[in-house]
Amino acid sequence: MIILFIFLIGLLIGSFLGVLIDRIPKRENFIKGRSVCDYCKKELNVYDLIPVFSFIFLKGKCRYCHKNLSLFYPIVELSTGTIYVLTYLFVVLILPFSFLTLSFYLLLASVLIVIFFIDLRFGIIPDKIIFPTVLLTFCYLIITKLPTIYNYIFSALVASLFFITITLLYYLLRRKIAMGGGDIKFAFLMGLILGFPGIIVGLYSAFLTAALYSIILIIWRKKAYLKDSIPFGPFLVTGTFISLFWGNLLLEKSLILLGLL
């Protein structure tokens, strides 16, 4: 029952996150202002905004102009519900449980979801999201992991320095920017969240999923010879989640395969 409750809470939060994802890059007020149809601009009523269920009930069409609605909002809502459940299980089964820890990781999961979809849609990772999250994570580490906080700070610095090095080398070789400033800042946040060796698993997962995605696009002939850039933020977020939820297991299996454990 608690799993279902967490999932439903995730759906509700996901509805709000969809608004943040849509409005923050446009510098629109996400607190005030009613949601409207993207086509007819008709203000939507409360019963038009029930996460996922309104979309299903309306058969994916606007109640007023009957245009097909974007799958964006239900995808964000379902993603948030699923990630919330995984986050809850992660905190309960792996970490020493506390309401502070659960609240922090649920909030962190929400931020990561927003970053994932903003970078996917708009190709940016806003500073107004990164900097407060870095501060929040640092405060959480001071409260809960002060004796080992140097591990997380060191991981953050090394991760961001690694990305800076890649960017500089790529620019010297190709005269092109390999990664944006948002990716470098997110790498710092990623190291602060995961620490060592979690950051290794996170970065490896990010680069691996990005490579697999690029290969799929090439096979489908939608991206010839990797000439077009793709946002890296979604892969960094994916790597962060993979390392958080399954990092210890993956690291243990890898060490066993290498004969080091």
Side-chain angles (χ1 to χ4, degrees), residues 9 25 30 42 57 131 141 167 216 247:
I9 291 296
F30 53 82
K42 178 76 174 180
F57 179 76
F131 291 153
L141 291 173
T167 302
I216 291 172

Side-chain angles (χ1 to χ4, degrees), residues 90 104-105 108 112 137 141 145 148-149 151-156 159 186-206 235-248 251:
F90 163 69
F104 169 74
Y105 278 103
L108 182 63
L112 293 177
T137 305
L141 291 173
K145 300 182 180 182
T148 59
I149 194 172
N151 179 311
Y152 296 88
I153 295 175
F154 178 76
S155 298
F186 185 84
F188 183 89
L189 173 62
M190 195 173 174
L192 209 57
I193 294 169
L194 300 175
F196 181 85
I199 187 62
I200 303 297
V201 178
L203 290 179
Y204 180 80
S205 300
F235 302 106
L236 291 174
V237 171
T238 301
T240 303
F241 278 129
I242 290 174
S243 184
L244 269 179
F245 298 148
W246 304 289
N248 291 336
L251 188 61

Side-chain angles (χ1 to χ4, degrees), residues 25 32 53 59 63 75 240-241 259:
K32 299 180 181 179
F53 296 102
K59 298 179 180 179
R63 182 189 300 274
I75 287 175
T240 303
F241 278 129

Side-chain angles (χ1 to χ4, degrees), residues 204 249-261:
Y204 180 80
L249 177 63
L250 291 173
L251 188 61
E252 180 182 345
K253 296 297 183 183
S254 299
L255 292 175
I256 290 175
L257 288 174
L258 293 172
L260 299 175
L261 189 64

